[in-house]
Structures are given as C-alpha cells and as structure tokens.
Amino acid sequence: MGEFDLIRRFFIWPTPQAVLGVGDDCALLQSAPGMQLAISTDMLVSGRHFFADTDPQGLGHKCLAVNLSDLAACGARPVAFTLALALPEANPAWLEPFAQGLLALADAHGCELIGGDTTRGPLNICITVLGEVPAQSLAARKPPLPTSALLRSGAQAGDDVYVSGTLGDAALALQALQGRVTLPTEVLAQARQRLERPSPRVALGLALRNIASACADVSDGLTGDLGHILERSGLGAQVDTEGLLQLLAARQGFPGGGAQFDQQVGAALDPQQPEGLALRCVLAGGDDYELVFCADPTQRAAVQAAATRSGTPVTRIGTMQAAPGLRLVDGLGCTVAPPCASFDHFSASGSRPA
Ligand code: ADP
Ligand code: MG
C-alpha cells in the first residue's frame, strides 16, 4: 500500500463544514463572521506518551482527545483538525482500528479531518485542532482582550477554584500497569479507562464562557496546570487536601471506601503517609484531561448550571489569593507540604510513558 492509497483508504472522511478537505495542497475553511480561530497542537510519541503496543483504537481516540481538551480549556467549539503521522509500516491491521477510534471521537464533536502529512518513521502522531470562539470581548475580562476565549490569565483574588470530574485515576492506572501498586480488577478497569479513553470536557468549556475568569485543562497534573493559571494571572491559591482526596474515583469507589484504599494501596508504597499516594495522583498525576477553572463567588449558581447543562460534575477545591504560590491545607487548616511536583518532560524525574 502506497502513501496515497493509505490516505485514501483510512483518512478521507466527509468534511461538510470545510470548503475543501483532504486532497489538495491546502484545505480551505470559511470562518463564520464575528468568530475567531482557536488553534492548538499536541504530539504523542511512542515510548514517551504511550506504550508501543497500545491498543490502536484507544490511541486514535486519545490523540484527538488530548487536542480537543485544549479547545475545551479555551471554551472553543471544535471545527477541524489535521493529522501528521509517522508510521514504521503501512499496516492495515493497525491503521483500521486507529482510524476508527479517531473518527468516532471526531464525529462525536463535529470535528473534521481536513488534511495532514504521512511519512515513514518511528510511530509519532501529531494533531493540530482548530476551533472557534466569538471575537467579542467579555465584559468581565481584565485586562480587556477582543475574545470570548477562556484564558489562563484573568483570575482574580477571591475567585473560587474548581475542577471538573475526577482527578488522578489515569496516573494511578499507570502506576498499576507498571507494577508499582496493586488494584482490584474492577477498580483498575475503570482507572484504565481514564488513562486510555479520556473524555475532553468540550461541553463544559463552552458552557463556562462568560462565567469562568480563567481556565486550563489538566494534562500534566493539577499542581502544574493550576500553576499555569496562578502564573498567568499573577496570583496564588489555597486548596484543601481533604477535598482533593475525594477527587480520586478509584479511592472513592474502593471496596470499603477511602480509608481502605489508603491502608491497602497507599500504605504499601509509604506506610508513614498512607494517603500520600492518592494525593500525589490527584496533584501530580497528569493525563486526566479535566478542566481547572476559576470564577467569582457570585457565579456559584451559574457554575453549577453550566455543570448540569454540560453533564459534567464540578467540585470547588479552593480560593485564589493575592500572595503567589499554591498552598495546600488539610481539614484542620494546617499547611501540607506538596508530595511532589507535576510532570515535566525535561526534568530529571520526567520518565513516564503515559
Ligand atoms: P504535500 O505533498 O503537499 O505535503 P501530501 O502529498 O503530503 O501533500 O498529501 C496529500 C493530501 O493528503 C493533502 O491534502 C494532505 O493534507 C493529505 N494528507 C496527508 N496525510 C494525511 C493524513 N495522515 N491524514 C489526513 N490527510 C492527510
Ligand atoms: Mg503541497
């Protein structure tokens, strides 16, 4: 199978929104009046972001999901994407399920594959997504910018801090798959879903336009991604660790409850700090693809309505403060030392395939 047969067979899908899709030197998109393009790229490298033998259908899903998650964080509606693929070989038994996983998620979000590039090389998948947001400035945006996109900047001291869904299960699944912790079969199966089939929170991002003051997606762990909001907004935050522990679905759903999770799974890693594992997964796990966002306390009802409208639960975890830095406090209000930093590909400890 040649390069062009491969593209024709697996990567030409209907593109009703695009003026021109795959097949020419460029694809053509007509932007709607008053709308801006939101553009983001994410690359997934074999051995770095996923194991080489990962199920190709799940991989097709995940490599688009991580890109849609960036659009979600900006409150942008997905429109189209391009796919740059380096493949060791043209293997239909791999390409077919990969394309299926990719297409199913693309269809679910009305996001059209409009072009790409295909070369031979070590497996590497790079997607660029395009979305749209209204160009008008938000009344509440400080400083003013001509866009309705949710940004990392814009949070104010006193804002509530929220996260969507659950956090840390993808990281926990990775720990289990790498043999560092042992989980009951059912608990592992659910955590693994989070690692392999993340759900980008596109509907929530759209619903939070005009409500959230700042937003980011949680791809590298809460500490790091909330850290981006703190840095870009020039603020700090206080977050309560009791609330964070409730965010790990595997711990909440553990037979016997959270205390049993800590005793059976957490204590096996560190008997001195049985809840350390759960806290580390939530704070530094990564690969969750939830949203972390801020909103003025007067917006609490609006935030809950956005959560309901988008079918995505949200939890209030803390408060933005003027003093820079992230402060963790326990249920009694005592300061807790962060169990570790978040993931960084170039730090000494950056060694996961995830
Ligand atoms: P060029 O030589 O101009 O870079 P190519 O010959 O690489 O173009 O690609 C031919 C057409 O196929 C282009 O429209 C390109 O966008 C599209 N294409 C190539 N690879 C992919 C892919 N993996 N998925 C979708 N479209 C692709
Ligand atoms: Mg060309």
Side-chain angles (χ1 to χ4, degrees):
M1 184 171 35
E3 178 186 333
F4 299 102
D5 299 324
L6 186 158
I7 296 166
R8 250 195 306 277
R9 179 158 163 202
F10 297 107
F11 298 118
I12 297 198
W13 305 334
T15 53
Q17 297 180 88
V19 178
L20 187 65
V22 170
D24 215 301
D25 289 308
C26 291
L28 297 171
L29 287 178
Q30 180 67 53
S31 13
M35 301 301 274
Q36 288 167 343
L37 281 179
I39 302 165
S40 181
T41 298
D42 255 314
M43 178 159 65
L44 271 73
V45 176
S46 178
R48 186 80 213 166
H49 300 95
F50 59 90
F51 302 110
D53 61 355
T54 296
D55 153 53
Q57 190 170 354
L59 189 59
H61 172 98
K62 183 164 176 174
C63 65
L64 182 59
V66 305
N67 277 277
L68 291 174
S69 177
D70 286 316
L71 291 184
C74 286
R77 183 183 73 82
V79 174
F81 69 106
T82 63
L83 171 66
L85 258 186
L87 295 169
E89 54 173 350
N91 175 8
W94 188 92
L95 280 159
E96 183 83 54
F98 173 80
Q100 261 173 24
L102 189 69
L103 175 62
L105 187 66
D107 266 0
H109 289 277
C111 194
E112 301 179 349
L113 178 58
I114 55 166
D117 200 17
T118 308
T119 72
R120 188 187 290 271
L123 182 58
N124 187 331
I125 305 155
C126 183
I127 286 182
T128 297
V129 275
L130 300 114
E132 62 175 20
V133 284
Q136 75 265 22
S137 182
L138 302 180
R141 162 123 42 229
K142 291 173 216 152
L145 254 188
T147 182
S148 298
L150 302 173
L151 304 176
R152 293 173 174 183
S153 56
Q156 306 291 313
D159 280 0
D160 294 322
V161 181
Y162 296 85
V163 294
S164 65
T166 58
L167 283 184
D169 292 282
L172 183 67
L174 187 63
Q175 295 285 310
L177 293 174
Q178 292 178 335
R180 297 206 187 93
V181 298
T182 307
L183 296 173
T185 316
E186 187 52 30
V187 174
L188 174 60
Q190 290 196 14
R192 218 175 150 165
Q193 273 297 102
R194 294 304 310 270
L195 178 67
E196 292 168 0
R197 295 254 166 182
S199 304
R201 302 303 192 187
V202 173
L204 178 63
L206 290 172
L208 287 172
R209 274 188 205 160
N210 286 310
I211 296 171
S213 55
C215 186
D217 68 325
V218 184
S219 54
D220 292 329
L222 183 62
T223 309
D225 293 310
L226 174 57
H228 293 312
I229 292 183
L230 303 188
E231 194 190 317
R232 300 283 295 187
S233 299
L235 296 171
Q238 177 167 313
V239 167
D240 141 53
T241 56
E242 287 295 307
L244 293 182
L245 288 172
Q246 318 296 319
L247 292 172
L248 185 67
R251 185 175 181 275
Q252 292 305 97
F254 200 79
Q260 278 299 314
F261 176 92
D262 293 341
Q263 283 316 315
Q264 285 183 27
V265 190
L269 274 192
D270 182 359
Q272 303 304 315
Q273 231 200 334
E275 70 292 346
L277 171 68
L279 207 51
R280 240 167 62 200
C281 286
V282 171
L283 280 168
D287 261 339
D288 296 304
Y289 302 101
E290 296 291 352
L291 298 182
V292 53
F293 61 95
C294 305
D296 190 276
T298 58
Q299 298 288 336
R300 281 183 192 172
V303 168
Q304 285 310 323
T308 304
R309 203 157 66 242
S310 60
T312 312
V314 303
T315 308
R316 188 149 52 84
I317 58 162
T319 309
M320 297 297 286
Q321 297 176 330
L326 176 60
R327 283 165 291 283
L328 299 177
V329 296
D330 66 15
L332 302 170
C334 300
T335 306
V336 178
C340 60
S342 73
F343 187 78
D344 177 338
H345 282 275
F346 293 99
S347 74
S349 61
S351 61
R352 68 165 179 191

mmCIF file with all atom_site columns, all heavy atoms in Angstrom, residues 133-152:
data_model
loop_
_atom_site.group_PDB
_atom_site.id
_atom_site.type_symbol
_atom_site.label_atom_id
_atom_site.label_alt_id
_atom_site.label_comp_id
_atom_site.label_asym_id
_atom_site.label_entity_id
_atom_site.label_seq_id
_atom_site.pdbx_PDB_ins_code
_atom_site.Cartn_x
_atom_site.Cartn_y
_atom_site.Cartn_z
_atom_site.occupancy
_atom_site.B_iso_or_equiv
_atom_site.pdbx_formal_charge
_atom_site.auth_seq_id
_atom_site.auth_comp_id
_atom_site.auth_asym_id
_atom_site.auth_atom_id
_atom_site.pdbx_PDB_model_num
ATOM 1   N N   . VAL A 1 133 ? -14.278 30.595 18.491 1.00 0.00 ? 133 VAL A N   1
ATOM 2   C CA  . VAL A 1 133 ? -14.844 31.333 19.631 1.00 0.00 ? 133 VAL A CA  1
ATOM 3   C C   . VAL A 1 133 ? -15.299 32.700 19.135 1.00 0.00 ? 133 VAL A C   1
ATOM 4   O O   . VAL A 1 133 ? -14.697 33.251 18.208 1.00 0.00 ? 133 VAL A O   1
ATOM 5   C CB  . VAL A 1 133 ? -13.824 31.568 20.777 1.00 0.00 ? 133 VAL A CB  1
ATOM 6   C CG1 . VAL A 1 133 ? -13.593 30.318 21.567 1.00 0.00 ? 133 VAL A CG1 1
ATOM 7   C CG2 . VAL A 1 133 ? -12.524 32.133 20.254 1.00 0.00 ? 133 VAL A CG2 1
ATOM 8   N N   . PRO A 1 134 ? -16.353 33.269 19.746 1.00 0.00 ? 134 PRO A N   1
ATOM 9   C CA  . PRO A 1 134 ? -16.775 34.621 19.373 1.00 0.00 ? 134 PRO A CA  1
ATOM 10  C C   . PRO A 1 134 ? -15.662 35.625 19.625 1.00 0.00 ? 134 PRO A C   1
ATOM 11  O O   . PRO A 1 134 ? -14.923 35.516 20.603 1.00 0.00 ? 134 PRO A O   1
ATOM 12  C CB  . PRO A 1 134 ? -17.977 34.894 20.278 1.00 0.00 ? 134 PRO A CB  1
ATOM 13  C CG  . PRO A 1 134 ? -18.460 33.544 20.712 1.00 0.00 ? 134 PRO A CG  1
ATOM 14  C CD  . PRO A 1 134 ? -17.237 32.674 20.766 1.00 0.00 ? 134 PRO A CD  1
ATOM 15  N N   . ALA A 1 135 ? -15.564 36.615 18.726 1.00 0.00 ? 135 ALA A N   1
ATOM 16  C CA  . ALA A 1 135 ? -14.486 37.603 18.820 1.00 0.00 ? 135 ALA A CA  1
ATOM 17  C C   . ALA A 1 135 ? -14.764 38.685 19.843 1.00 0.00 ? 135 ALA A C   1
ATOM 18  O O   . ALA A 1 135 ? -13.856 39.400 20.236 1.00 0.00 ? 135 ALA A O   1
ATOM 19  C CB  . ALA A 1 135 ? -14.237 38.223 17.449 1.00 0.00 ? 135 ALA A CB  1
ATOM 20  N N   . GLN A 1 136 ? -16.021 38.807 20.317 1.00 0.00 ? 136 GLN A N   1
ATOM 21  C CA  . GLN A 1 136 ? -16.247 39.959 21.193 1.00 0.00 ? 136 GLN A CA  1
ATOM 22  C C   . GLN A 1 136 ? -15.656 39.765 22.576 1.00 0.00 ? 136 GLN A C   1
ATOM 23  O O   . GLN A 1 136 ? -15.594 38.649 23.090 1.00 0.00 ? 136 GLN A O   1
ATOM 24  C CB  . GLN A 1 136 ? -17.723 40.375 21.264 1.00 0.00 ? 136 GLN A CB  1
ATOM 25  C CG  . GLN A 1 136 ? -18.631 39.498 22.077 1.00 0.00 ? 136 GLN A CG  1
ATOM 26  C CD  . GLN A 1 136 ? -19.328 38.481 21.178 1.00 0.00 ? 136 GLN A CD  1
ATOM 27  O OE1 . GLN A 1 136 ? -18.861 38.173 20.087 1.00 0.00 ? 136 GLN A OE1 1
ATOM 28  N NE2 . GLN A 1 136 ? -20.437 37.947 21.633 1.00 0.00 ? 136 GLN A NE2 1
ATOM 29  N N   . SER A 1 137 ? -15.210 40.878 23.159 1.00 0.00 ? 137 SER A N   1
ATOM 30  C CA  . SER A 1 137 ? -14.583 40.845 24.467 1.00 0.00 ? 137 SER A CA  1
ATOM 31  C C   . SER A 1 137 ? -15.627 40.556 25.533 1.00 0.00 ? 137 SER A C   1
ATOM 32  O O   . SER A 1 137 ? -16.790 40.909 25.398 1.00 0.00 ? 137 SER A O   1
ATOM 33  C CB  . SER A 1 137 ? -13.936 42.198 24.734 1.00 0.00 ? 137 SER A CB  1
ATOM 34  O OG  . SER A 1 137 ? -13.279 42.168 25.969 1.00 0.00 ? 137 SER A OG  1
ATOM 35  N N   . LEU A 1 138 ? -15.237 39.894 26.595 1.00 0.00 ? 138 LEU A N   1
ATOM 36  C CA  . LEU A 1 138 ? -16.130 39.654 27.718 1.00 0.00 ? 138 LEU A CA  1
ATOM 37  C C   . LEU A 1 138 ? -16.125 40.884 28.622 1.00 0.00 ? 138 LEU A C   1
ATOM 38  O O   . LEU A 1 138 ? -15.069 41.451 28.890 1.00 0.00 ? 138 LEU A O   1
ATOM 39  C CB  . LEU A 1 138 ? -15.658 38.447 28.520 1.00 0.00 ? 138 LEU A CB  1
ATOM 40  C CG  . LEU A 1 138 ? -15.550 37.151 27.721 1.00 0.00 ? 138 LEU A CG  1
ATOM 41  C CD1 . LEU A 1 138 ? -15.072 36.036 28.614 1.00 0.00 ? 138 LEU A CD1 1
ATOM 42  C CD2 . LEU A 1 138 ? -16.907 36.816 27.109 1.00 0.00 ? 138 LEU A CD2 1
ATOM 43  N N   . ALA A 1 139 ? -17.309 41.265 29.108 1.00 0.00 ? 139 ALA A N   1
ATOM 44  C CA  . ALA A 1 139 ? -17.424 42.454 29.955 1.00 0.00 ? 139 ALA A CA  1
ATOM 45  C C   . ALA A 1 139 ? -16.496 42.334 31.164 1.00 0.00 ? 139 ALA A C   1
ATOM 46  O O   . ALA A 1 139 ? -15.848 43.296 31.563 1.00 0.00 ? 139 ALA A O   1
ATOM 47  C CB  . ALA A 1 139 ? -18.873 42.609 30.411 1.00 0.00 ? 139 ALA A CB  1
ATOM 48  N N   . ALA A 1 140 ? -16.425 41.124 31.736 1.00 0.00 ? 140 ALA A N   1
ATOM 49  C CA  . ALA A 1 140 ? -15.688 40.957 32.988 1.00 0.00 ? 140 ALA A CA  1
ATOM 50  C C   . ALA A 1 140 ? -14.187 40.762 32.774 1.00 0.00 ? 140 ALA A C   1
ATOM 51  O O   . ALA A 1 140 ? -13.446 40.666 33.744 1.00 0.00 ? 140 ALA A O   1
ATOM 52  C CB  . ALA A 1 140 ? -16.251 39.759 33.737 1.00 0.00 ? 140 ALA A CB  1
ATOM 53  N N   . ARG A 1 141 ? -13.729 40.691 31.526 1.00 0.00 ? 141 ARG A N   1
ATOM 54  C CA  . ARG A 1 141 ? -12.315 40.333 31.303 1.00 0.00 ? 141 ARG A CA  1
ATOM 55  C C   . ARG A 1 141 ? -11.372 41.453 31.727 1.00 0.00 ? 141 ARG A C   1
ATOM 56  O O   . ARG A 1 141 ? -11.542 42.585 31.328 1.00 0.00 ? 141 ARG A O   1
ATOM 57  C CB  . ARG A 1 141 ? -12.098 39.992 29.835 1.00 0.00 ? 141 ARG A CB  1
ATOM 58  C CG  . ARG A 1 141 ? -10.658 40.031 29.454 1.00 0.00 ? 141 ARG A CG  1
ATOM 59  C CD  . ARG A 1 141 ? -10.030 38.794 28.869 1.00 0.00 ? 141 ARG A CD  1
ATOM 60  N NE  . ARG A 1 141 ? -10.802 38.065 27.911 1.00 0.00 ? 141 ARG A NE  1
ATOM 61  C CZ  . ARG A 1 141 ? -10.979 36.748 27.990 1.00 0.00 ? 141 ARG A CZ  1
ATOM 62  N NH1 . ARG A 1 141 ? -10.497 36.086 29.025 1.00 0.00 ? 141 ARG A NH1 1
ATOM 63  N NH2 . ARG A 1 141 ? -11.654 36.120 27.063 1.00 0.00 ? 141 ARG A NH2 1
ATOM 64  N N   . LYS A 1 142 ? -10.421 41.097 32.565 1.00 0.00 ? 142 LYS A N   1
ATOM 65  C CA  . LYS A 1 142 ? -9.379  42.044 32.959 1.00 0.00 ? 142 LYS A CA  1
ATOM 66  C C   . LYS A 1 142 ? -8.024  41.405 32.673 1.00 0.00 ? 142 LYS A C   1
ATOM 67  O O   . LYS A 1 142 ? -7.782  40.318 33.183 1.00 0.00 ? 142 LYS A O   1
ATOM 68  C CB  . LYS A 1 142 ? -9.477  42.375 34.454 1.00 0.00 ? 142 LYS A CB  1
ATOM 69  C CG  . LYS A 1 142 ? -10.703 43.174 34.811 1.00 0.00 ? 142 LYS A CG  1
ATOM 70  C CD  . LYS A 1 142 ? -10.824 43.305 36.324 1.00 0.00 ? 142 LYS A CD  1
ATOM 71  C CE  . LYS A 1 142 ? -12.283 43.256 36.736 1.00 0.00 ? 142 LYS A CE  1
ATOM 72  N NZ  . LYS A 1 142 ? -12.526 42.759 38.050 1.00 0.00 ? 142 LYS A NZ  1
ATOM 73  N N   . PRO A 1 143 ? -7.115  42.018 31.909 1.00 0.00 ? 143 PRO A N   1
ATOM 74  C CA  . PRO A 1 143 ? -7.337  43.222 31.119 1.00 0.00 ? 143 PRO A CA  1
ATOM 75  C C   . PRO A 1 143 ? -8.183  42.894 29.890 1.00 0.00 ? 143 PRO A C   1
ATOM 76  O O   . PRO A 1 143 ? -8.263  41.724 29.518 1.00 0.00 ? 143 PRO A O   1
ATOM 77  C CB  . PRO A 1 143 ? -5.907  43.610 30.709 1.00 0.00 ? 143 PRO A CB  1
ATOM 78  C CG  . PRO A 1 143 ? -5.164  42.311 30.690 1.00 0.00 ? 143 PRO A CG  1
ATOM 79  C CD  . PRO A 1 143 ? -5.782  41.440 31.731 1.00 0.00 ? 143 PRO A CD  1
ATOM 80  N N   . PRO A 1 144 ? -8.806  43.909 29.254 1.00 0.00 ? 144 PRO A N   1
ATOM 81  C CA  . PRO A 1 144 ? -9.668  43.632 28.100 1.00 0.00 ? 144 PRO A CA  1
ATOM 82  C C   . PRO A 1 144 ? -8.875  43.037 26.933 1.00 0.00 ? 144 PRO A C   1
ATOM 83  O O   . PRO A 1 144 ? -7.750  43.426 26.698 1.00 0.00 ? 144 PRO A O   1
ATOM 84  C CB  . PRO A 1 144 ? -10.229 45.012 27.734 1.00 0.00 ? 144 PRO A CB  1
ATOM 85  C CG  . PRO A 1 144 ? -9.399  46.009 28.448 1.00 0.00 ? 144 PRO A CG  1
ATOM 86  C CD  . PRO A 1 144 ? -8.742  45.336 29.595 1.00 0.00 ? 144 PRO A CD  1
ATOM 87  N N   . LEU A 1 145 ? -9.464  42.077 26.255 1.00 0.00 ? 145 LEU A N   1
ATOM 88  C CA  . LEU A 1 145 ? -8.866  41.437 25.075 1.00 0.00 ? 145 LEU A CA  1
ATOM 89  C C   . LEU A 1 145 ? -10.036 41.116 24.146 1.00 0.00 ? 145 LEU A C   1
ATOM 90  O O   . LEU A 1 145 ? -11.081 40.680 24.644 1.00 0.00 ? 145 LEU A O   1
ATOM 91  C CB  . LEU A 1 145 ? -8.232  40.111 25.457 1.00 0.00 ? 145 LEU A CB  1
ATOM 92  C CG  . LEU A 1 145 ? -6.729  39.928 25.558 1.00 0.00 ? 145 LEU A CG  1
ATOM 93  C CD1 . LEU A 1 145 ? -6.427  38.451 25.772 1.00 0.00 ? 145 LEU A CD1 1
ATOM 94  C CD2 . LEU A 1 145 ? -6.014  40.422 24.315 1.00 0.00 ? 145 LEU A CD2 1
ATOM 95  N N   . PRO A 1 146 ? -9.881  41.316 22.832 1.00 0.00 ? 146 PRO A N   1
ATOM 96  C CA  . PRO A 1 146 ? -11.027 41.095 21.937 1.00 0.00 ? 146 PRO A CA  1
ATOM 97  C C   . PRO A 1 146 ? -11.296 39.614 21.669 1.00 0.00 ? 146 PRO A C   1
ATOM 98  O O   . PRO A 1 146 ? -11.117 39.143 20.561 1.00 0.00 ? 146 PRO A O   1
ATOM 99  C CB  . PRO A 1 146 ? -10.605 41.836 20.657 1.00 0.00 ? 146 PRO A CB  1
ATOM 100 C CG  . PRO A 1 146 ? -9.123  41.781 20.685 1.00 0.00 ? 146 PRO A CG  1
ATOM 101 C CD  . PRO A 1 146 ? -8.693  41.766 22.115 1.00 0.00 ? 146 PRO A CD  1
ATOM 102 N N   . THR A 1 147 ? -11.732 38.890 22.696 1.00 0.00 ? 147 THR A N   1
ATOM 103 C CA  . THR A 1 147 ? -12.068 37.478 22.505 1.00 0.00 ? 147 THR A CA  1
ATOM 104 C C   . THR A 1 147 ? -12.968 36.984 23.639 1.00 0.00 ? 147 THR A C   1
ATOM 105 O O   . THR A 1 147 ? -12.903 37.495 24.754 1.00 0.00 ? 147 THR A O   1
ATOM 106 C CB  . THR A 1 147 ? -10.799 36.593 22.463 1.00 0.00 ? 147 THR A CB  1
ATOM 107 O OG1 . THR A 1 147 ? -11.189 35.247 22.241 1.00 0.00 ? 147 THR A OG1 1
ATOM 108 C CG2 . THR A 1 147 ? -9.997  36.686 23.755 1.00 0.00 ? 147 THR A CG2 1
ATOM 109 N N   . SER A 1 148 ? -13.789 35.970 23.332 1.00 0.00 ? 148 SER A N   1
ATOM 110 C CA  . SER A 1 148 ? -14.572 35.287 24.373 1.00 0.00 ? 148 SER A CA  1
ATOM 111 C C   . SER A 1 148 ? -13.887 34.017 24.841 1.00 0.00 ? 148 SER A C   1
ATOM 112 O O   . SER A 1 148 ? -14.467 33.255 25.619 1.00 0.00 ? 148 SER A O   1
ATOM 113 C CB  . SER A 1 148 ? -15.949 34.896 23.833 1.00 0.00 ? 148 SER A CB  1
ATOM 114 O OG  . SER A 1 148 ? -16.658 36.030 23.468 1.00 0.00 ? 148 SER A OG  1
ATOM 115 N N   . ALA A 1 149 ? -12.675 33.748 24.343 1.00 0.00 ? 149 ALA A N   1
ATOM 116 C CA  . ALA A 1 149 ? -11.977 32.522 24.747 1.00 0.00 ? 149 ALA A CA  1
ATOM 117 C C   . ALA A 1 149 ? -11.670 32.564 26.235 1.00 0.00 ? 149 ALA A C   1
ATOM 118 O O   . ALA A 1 149 ? -11.370 33.615 26.786 1.00 0.00 ? 149 ALA A O   1
ATOM 119 C CB  . ALA A 1 149 ? -10.679 32.377 23.957 1.00 0.00 ? 149 ALA A CB  1
ATOM 120 N N   . LEU A 1 150 ? -11.758 31.408 26.895 1.00 0.00 ? 150 LEU A N   1
ATOM 121 C CA  . LEU A 1 150 ? -11.293 31.289 28.279 1.00 0.00 ? 150 LEU A CA  1
ATOM 122 C C   . LEU A 1 150 ? -9.772  31.229 28.233 1.00 0.00 ? 150 LEU A C   1
ATOM 123 O O   . LEU A 1 150 ? -9.211  30.528 27.403 1.00 0.00 ? 150 LEU A O   1
ATOM 124 C CB  . LEU A 1 150 ? -11.832 30.000 28.906 1.00 0.00 ? 150 LEU A CB  1
ATOM 125 C CG  . LEU A 1 150 ? -13.352 29.835 28.922 1.00 0.00 ? 150 LEU A CG  1
ATOM 126 C CD1 . LEU A 1 150 ? -13.721 28.441 29.425 1.00 0.00 ? 150 LEU A CD1 1
ATOM 127 C CD2 . LEU A 1 150 ? -13.984 30.913 29.801 1.00 0.00 ? 150 LEU A CD2 1
ATOM 128 N N   . LEU A 1 151 ? -9.123  31.962 29.119 1.00 0.00 ? 151 LEU A N   1
ATOM 129 C CA  . LEU A 1 151 ? -7.659  32.017 29.122 1.00 0.00 ? 151 LEU A CA  1
ATOM 130 C C   . LEU A 1 151 ? -7.131  31.621 30.489 1.00 0.00 ? 151 LEU A C   1
ATOM 131 O O   . LEU A 1 151 ? -7.872  31.555 31.464 1.00 0.00 ? 151 LEU A O   1
ATOM 132 C CB  . LEU A 1 151 ? -7.193  33.439 28.772 1.00 0.00 ? 151 LEU A CB  1
ATOM 133 C CG  . LEU A 1 151 ? -7.704  33.999 27.441 1.00 0.00 ? 151 LEU A CG  1
ATOM 134 C CD1 . LEU A 1 151 ? -7.245  35.439 27.263 1.00 0.00 ? 151 LEU A CD1 1
ATOM 135 C CD2 . LEU A 1 151 ? -7.241  33.144 26.270 1.00 0.00 ? 151 LEU A CD2 1
ATOM 136 N N   . ARG A 1 152 ? -5.819  31.371 30.542 1.00 0.00 ? 152 ARG A N   1
ATOM 137 C CA  . ARG A 1 152 ? -5.191  31.071 31.839 1.00 0.00 ? 152 ARG A CA  1
ATOM 138 C C   . ARG A 1 152 ? -5.076  32.335 32.677 1.00 0.00 ? 152 ARG A C   1
ATOM 139 O O   . ARG A 1 152 ? -5.075  32.270 33.901 1.00 0.00 ? 152 ARG A O   1
ATOM 140 C CB  . ARG A 1 152 ? -3.805  30.471 31.602 1.00 0.00 ? 152 ARG A CB  1
ATOM 141 C CG  . ARG A 1 152 ? -3.880  29.101 30.943 1.00 0.00 ? 152 ARG A CG  1
ATOM 142 C CD  . ARG A 1 152 ? -2.499  28.615 30.567 1.00 0.00 ? 152 ARG A CD  1
ATOM 143 N NE  . ARG A 1 152 ? -2.541  27.242 30.063 1.00 0.00 ? 152 ARG A NE  1
ATOM 144 C CZ  . ARG A 1 152 ? -1.474  26.548 29.722 1.00 0.00 ? 152 ARG A CZ  1
ATOM 145 N NH1 . ARG A 1 152 ? -0.269  27.091 29.803 1.00 0.00 ? 152 ARG A NH1 1
ATOM 146 N NH2 . ARG A 1 152 ? -1.592  25.310 29.284 1.00 0.00 ? 152 ARG A NH2 1
#
